[in-house]
Amino acid sequence: MKLRWMLPAAALLLTAQAYADPKAVEAMMQKNGCFACHSVEQKIIGPSYREVAKRYAGQADAPAKLVAKVKNGGGGVWGQMGMPPHPNLKDDDIRAMIGWVLDHK
């Protein structure tokens, strides 16, 4: 498997199983409501995934920041509307989703 977005191992550990099937990750994001606020190409309520990937490109700590943002929520980065917390998502699932998002640069 070849990932276009390579990360330091300490920053984010994506298992081959979690990211082996981008369609499965996309389906997991659909199931968890991510596409209600985001799309790949256009801002909806939150930024597009392409915008997120561009903003965080090359930042070694980006995966950890984004995992925390998904898990704990937050605001002020993209405007007044904040990201709601998703404390019930598994960390491995969040890592797979973040890998999928960051691969859209």
Side-chain angles (χ1 to χ4, degrees), residues 14-58:
L14 289 175
T15 64
Q17 182 180 18
Y19 198 73
D21 184 357
K23 292 288 185 192
V25 176
E26 189 175 347
M28 179 174 40
M29 293 172 74
Q30 185 72 35
K31 175 185 166 200
N32 285 290
C34 302
F35 291 105
C37 296
H38 303 277
S39 80
V40 172
E41 299 290 336
Q42 297 178 10
K43 174 183 168 82
I44 299 177
I45 293 170
S48 73
Y49 292 130
R50 199 166 305 279
E51 290 174 307
V52 173
K54 285 180 184 177
R55 176 171 283 184
Y56 291 98

Side-chain angles (χ1 to χ4, degrees), residues 5 16 27 33 59 62 80:
W5 208 80
Q59 296 181 33
Q80 292 184 5

